[in-house]
Amino acid sequence: MKTVAVIGAGSMLGTELVEQLRAVGVVVLCIGRSADCDITLDLDKTLGALPATAPAVDAIFHCAAAFADDSGEGRVANGRVNALGCFDVLRLMAHLQCSICIYAGSLSSTVGVEAQGRSSYGLSKALGEQVLAWGLMERQAGGVFCSLRFPQLYDVEGRCCRHQPWFGRIVAYASRGMDLNMPAPGGVRNFLHVRDAARLLIQAWQEGVSGVWDIVHPESLDYWQIAQCAYGVFGSGGHIEIAQAKQPFRALNLPSGEALFDRLGMWPEISMEQGLKMIRDTGCAGAFGPLDVI
């Protein structure tokens, strides 16, 4: 029986990952800021004393991150958690006798995706990748580092709204039958359901994949198309209008994201329409918002 650790076990992705791992008989050690985790770890702070005894684990999944903005304070927070925090992850891995790390990266780290250049979030996530790859594959023999650079993630329960406010707003307005005034699309976006993201992480570990991989769902839609889909799925009425006075959504230059799907023989299962129907059918649309995105 395999034993793994999940850093950020209480996050949206971490929660789904823990559930899927346990469903296939993997023993999971939960690591995070919550007091009920098996090991308490806050990457925003210096790593304290580790448990005197801890089980050896076969792999660590790293799903924790800071999602701060590009203000001065935000840049520092992103750098401290997403980049410098990875040195503490390496220390923890050594304590758990683990040499395999599967990392939930971000497409924001890929140069060229953001037309105006990478955000501090994207840069800090890329630096974290470098720290982990250095510690596992350069400073020691036999280590494995794999990063899946995910696009925008969403879920059924609405936890994604904190980081995807416009997706949350579209679901909220569509489910309530309210009129939605939104900026011009600007270009396509790419969304991946958290269930598919967790499946890919697990399969990458099981297949022994290493390296950094861009992940792009085969279906890319702009926000206008997503809104049309949402209003069709919920069928609650309401209209969508383009507010010309609002700044259009920024354009993204999406890379090809099929290489890992071919490598694993696994493709995302959930389309945008299916994901919206899951939100509708589970009765969780009320958790989505806000209703006041500018």
Side-chain angles (χ1 to χ4, degrees):
M1 182 178 294
K2 297 288 188 178
T3 299
V4 304
V6 175
I7 299 175
S11 66
M12 179 182 72
L13 177 56
T15 300
E16 178 67 29
L17 184 59
V18 169
E19 181 178 333
Q20 289 194 26
L21 286 164
R22 287 175 172 164
V24 294
V26 177
V27 176
V28 180
L29 193 69
C30 292
I31 301 175
R33 292 179 294 180
S34 174
D36 60 2
C37 285
D38 298 297
I39 295 178
T40 301
L41 173 66
D42 186 348
L43 295 177
D44 196 29
K45 301 176 181 178
T46 302
L47 181 64
L50 292 167
T53 59
V57 301
D58 297 288
I60 276 187
F61 292 85
H62 185 0
C63 302
F67 296 87
D69 58 22
D70 274 335
S71 65
E73 291 182 355
R75 292 175 179 180
V76 171
N78 285 329
R80 183 168 55 242
V81 173
N82 300 337
L84 294 177
C86 287
F87 286 104
D88 279 341
V89 172
L90 289 172
R91 180 183 164 196
L92 176 63
M93 291 184 68
H95 185 71
L96 298 176
Q97 303 173 55
C98 178
S99 60
I100 299 174
C101 180
I102 311 298
Y103 183 76
S106 171
L107 206 57
S108 299
S109 296
T110 300
V111 175
V113 169
E114 298 277 0
Q116 69 272 36
R118 289 183 294 180
S119 64
S120 64
Y121 167 73
L123 174 61
S124 64
K125 291 284 285 182
L127 292 172
E129 290 172 340
Q130 293 180 41
V131 169
L132 292 170
W134 167 81
L136 293 172
M137 303 179 70
E138 183 176 338
R139 296 289 293 176
Q140 70 179 57
V144 174
F145 174 71
C146 177
S147 175
L148 306 192
R149 288 182 169 179
F150 289 125
Q152 294 167 271
L153 298 182
Y154 71 104
D155 65 334
V156 170
E157 292 81 14
R159 298 180 67 183
C160 63
C161 298
R162 178 183 174 191
H163 309 302
Q164 314 297 349
W166 263 104
F167 180 81
R169 188 176 199 230
I170 288 171
V171 172
Y173 276 63
S175 62
R176 294 166 173 81
M178 298 171 62
D179 291 342
L180 175 64
N181 293 312
M182 61 186 296
V188 296
R189 323 298 289 187
N190 197 264
F191 281 85
L192 181 70
H193 196 280
V194 68
R195 184 179 300 175
D196 281 329
R199 288 175 56 247
L200 290 166
L201 287 169
I202 294 170
Q203 190 73 7
W205 164 53
Q206 292 176 332
E207 295 288 334
V209 176
S210 63
V212 177
W213 303 79
D214 290 332
I215 306 298
V216 178
H217 194 289
E219 177 187 53
S220 292
L221 303 170
D222 63 38
Y223 274 124
W224 173 261
Q225 293 170 315
I226 294 172
Q228 287 183 311
C229 185
Y231 274 75
V233 164
F234 286 100
S236 300
H239 299 88
I240 315 163
E241 299 290 342
I242 296 297
Q244 299 296 338
K246 293 184 177 181
Q247 183 74 22
F249 290 109
R250 70 186 189 281
L252 298 179
N253 303 307
L254 297 173
S256 172
E258 300 180 357
L260 184 72
F261 304 151
D262 290 334
R263 168 70 175 79
L264 297 178
M266 171 186 286
W267 291 70
E269 295 180 344
I270 302 172
S271 68
M272 178 56 68
E273 182 179 8
Q274 291 169 325
L276 290 167
K277 287 180 177 178
M278 290 164 63
I279 295 169
R280 179 197 66 191
D281 295 343
T282 54
C284 292
F288 283 75
L291 300 176
D292 58 349
V293 174
I294 303 302

